[in-house]
Amino acid sequence: MTRRSDNGAVEKLSQFLTPQHLRQLKFAGVVTVMTLLCGIFLWYLFAPKPAPQQAGTGGYNVTIPEATVKPAETDKRKVYEQEQYEQQRREKLQSLGDVMDDRLPVTGEMADATVPAAPTAIDESDAAYRRISGEMAAFYTPAPYTI
């Protein structure tokens, strides 16, 4: 503690403040300053920043392409080849459909043409489930209710 004889206020203040009080005040001051610095730093980090607006957009995101519109092909040769491929594919499907129509049995023949198919894993699983359910139902039959 420094005591100045010319300044009576410091002398009066030092009479009321003990070294413990001065440490407590110093600690409170440091904590206050650090809290303010932390708060300013956090505000600077997370403060909302206004998004820059481009002229004419009006807040809409115009950079996202539409899902239904195909981009225009710039190479005419690729477009022509793609059209030829699609045409050949359609012709193959059409001819395959015509062939299958000729080979499909008529409704009268269909009843005779059905061959029992070999049981699949799903059919076997279903049969096992039904068998186990029947056994469980037979085992856990409730006793007759008597009064």
Side-chain angles (χ1 to χ4, degrees):
M1 282 278 163
T2 58
R3 293 183 185 223
R4 296 184 188 175
S5 59
D6 58 333
N7 193 350
V10 173
E11 195 172 302
K12 288 180 183 178
L13 185 61
S14 64
Q15 289 176 356
F16 293 113
L17 295 176
T18 63
Q20 182 181 3
H21 285 127
L22 287 175
R23 280 192 304 261
Q24 288 176 346
L25 283 175
K26 185 178 177 181
F27 178 77
V30 168
V31 168
T32 303
V33 169
M34 294 301 277
T35 303
L36 286 173
L37 285 175
C38 182
I40 291 170
F41 178 73
L42 288 174
W43 179 79
Y44 178 74
L45 276 180
F46 299 110
K49 294 176 179 65
Q53 290 287 328
Q54 294 179 354
T57 59
Y60 294 109
N61 189 357
V62 294
T63 60
I64 298 175
E66 293 184 25
T68 57
V69 178
K70 289 184 179 179
E73 191 68 43
T74 57
D75 190 12
K76 289 183 180 182
R77 185 176 299 156
K78 286 183 181 178
V79 173
Y80 180 71
E81 290 171 357
Q82 183 68 24
E83 282 295 321
Q84 276 187 330
Y85 173 74
E86 291 294 326
Q87 181 65 25
Q88 289 173 353
R89 189 175 148 270
R90 280 192 294 262
E91 288 173 2
K92 282 183 183 179
L93 289 176
Q94 181 66 31
S95 64
L96 181 63
D98 293 342
V99 169
M100 290 306 293
D101 286 341
D102 295 340
R103 292 190 178 193
L104 284 177
V106 186
T107 56
E109 296 174 2
M110 192 174 280
D112 298 335
T114 57
V115 178
T120 62
I122 294 175
D123 294 332
E124 292 173 1
S125 174
D126 184 46
Y129 174 76
R130 291 179 189 272
R131 182 181 47 81
I132 291 172
S133 293
E135 290 174 6
M136 294 292 281
F139 183 75
Y140 289 111
T141 53
Y145 183 70
T146 57
I147 298 180

